[in-house]
Amino acid sequence: MRVIILKNAHEVARWSAYQITKKILKFNPTKEKPFVLGLPTGSTPLATYRELINLYNEGILSFENIVTFNMDEYVGLKPEDPQSYHYFMNENFFKHINIKKENINILDGCADDLEKECHDYEEKIKKAGGIQLFLGGVGEDGHIAFNEPGSSLSSHTRDKDLTYDTILANSRFFDNDIEKVPKSALTIGVGTLMDSKEVMILANGYKKARAVYHGVEAGVNHLWTISALQLHRRAVLVIDEMAASDIKVKTYRYFKEIEAKNLDLEKYKKYLIKDSKKS
């Protein structure tokens, strides 16, 4: 696992957006061979989405041949509901870039048969050739997507009851009223995430420090689903200084040293501009 430690949330957003762009440019997607990108919702990736939009507006990145699969969706919320993840993604990302509508995939939380919806989603991912890169965030309790503590580390897309902690954390999007928060969601599984060719997880702030510790230093444990990343062949955890608070000083120094040459954001962007002209 790579661990990228940056100063603050703004740098996390820039680095993650640059890394995604680098992977897409290197892949050089076409209509016949699109780049398949997994995406999250929540507050953490918002800044990354803004950086990707900036890169698109600057002509460095195109989403014309990108296919996306989102991690999750609330059960019972229609796509036009302002709190649905369909709405979130469109307002915060999709409507600002040149992605084709038919290339956007989000679970339907209002499907008549939720089990079939989840099965078909997995099959659609396989038909697309699998996820090249899955971007995600992590909850304070270490959950990735809606794979709450205790989730099977081999799980695939399914419906999942949400814990009280997750409902409480998400109530900020529902007028701080936990009664308004859906009690279940459709979510990709830990196994779905692990099937991706690469995984990038973002974490900002001290509240995420314990989750980062379990993801990096503690053992693999289904009570902290982020820990499954330790078993992935190409996983990168992108965090800020506050989120690194609970890891050992020796661990912190190790990752800062081995990634030192990869942390110059200005140089990274110049590389992307140069690379985009070759595409």
Side-chain angles (χ1 to χ4, degrees), residues 82-224:
Q83 300 306 330
S84 74
Y85 289 161
H86 282 77
Y87 189 92
F88 176 98
M89 291 303 301
N90 186 61
E91 289 300 306
N92 292 294
F93 192 40
F94 294 144
K95 76 177 186 180
H96 303 285
I97 57 176
N98 65 330
I99 191 168
K100 298 173 183 175
K101 188 175 181 179
E102 61 267 26
N103 286 347
I104 297 171
N105 298 282
I106 306 178
L107 286 155
D108 182 1
C110 292
D112 293 332
D113 188 336
L114 295 180
E115 185 175 347
K116 183 178 184 300
E117 173 68 12
C118 293
H119 175 269
D120 290 349
Y121 203 68
E122 286 283 338
E123 292 301 309
K124 202 167 187 180
I125 291 174
K126 292 176 184 176
K127 188 175 181 180
I131 307 292
Q132 291 291 327
L133 171 63
F134 223 130
L135 175 68
V138 60
E140 293 176 28
D141 59 4
H143 74 260
I144 45 181
F146 274 129
N147 293 286
E148 305 283 33
S151 295
S152 167
L153 299 185
S154 63
S155 58
H156 286 86
T157 305
R158 69 216 186 283
D159 63 298
K160 189 75 177 170
D161 292 334
L162 306 183
T163 64
Y164 176 79
D165 285 347
T166 297
I167 292 170
L168 183 63
N170 288 358
S171 66
R172 67 189 187 279
F173 303 115
F174 293 83
D175 303 320
N176 292 310
D177 185 350
I178 61 173
E179 296 303 320
K180 293 181 180 180
V181 185
K183 303 305 184 286
S184 61
L186 302 184
T187 179
I188 64 161
V190 181
T192 312
L193 193 70
M194 296 293 283
D195 287 341
S196 305
K197 294 178 178 64
E198 297 187 48
V199 179
M200 184 193 302
I201 299 295
L202 313 180
N204 300 323
Y206 183 70
K207 287 185 177 181
K208 302 295 178 70
R210 200 62 186 161
V212 168
Y213 160 76
H214 280 278
V216 177
E217 291 186 335
V220 177
N221 189 327
H222 68 158
L223 294 178
W224 295 84

Side-chain angles (χ1 to χ4, degrees), residues 12-104:
V12 168
R14 289 183 66 194
W15 194 94
S16 56
Y18 295 170
Q19 182 72 355
I20 292 167
T21 302
K22 175 185 174 182
K23 296 295 180 179
I24 292 172
L25 292 175
K26 184 178 180 181
F27 190 88
N28 193 22
T30 63
K31 183 179 180 180
E32 293 73 27
K33 189 190 72 171
F35 186 92
V36 185
L37 179 64
L39 296 174
T41 50
S43 55
T44 301
L46 279 174
T48 299
Y49 289 150
R50 286 193 289 270
E51 291 295 334
L52 287 170
I53 292 166
N54 290 339
L55 291 167
Y56 162 70
N57 287 332
E58 292 173 30
I60 298 171
L61 179 62
S62 172
F63 292 88
E64 184 178 2
N65 295 312
I66 305 295
V67 172
T68 64
F69 285 88
N70 263 76
M71 281 188 160
D72 38 34
E73 177 59 285
Y74 286 118
V75 169
L77 294 190
K78 295 180 179 180
E80 60 270 19
D81 190 301
Q83 300 306 330
S84 74
Y85 289 161
H86 282 77
Y87 189 92
F88 176 98
M89 291 303 301
N90 186 61
E91 289 300 306
N92 292 294
F93 192 40
F94 294 144
K95 76 177 186 180
H96 303 285
I97 57 176
N98 65 330
I99 191 168
K100 298 173 183 175
K101 188 175 181 179
E102 61 267 26
N103 286 347
I104 297 171

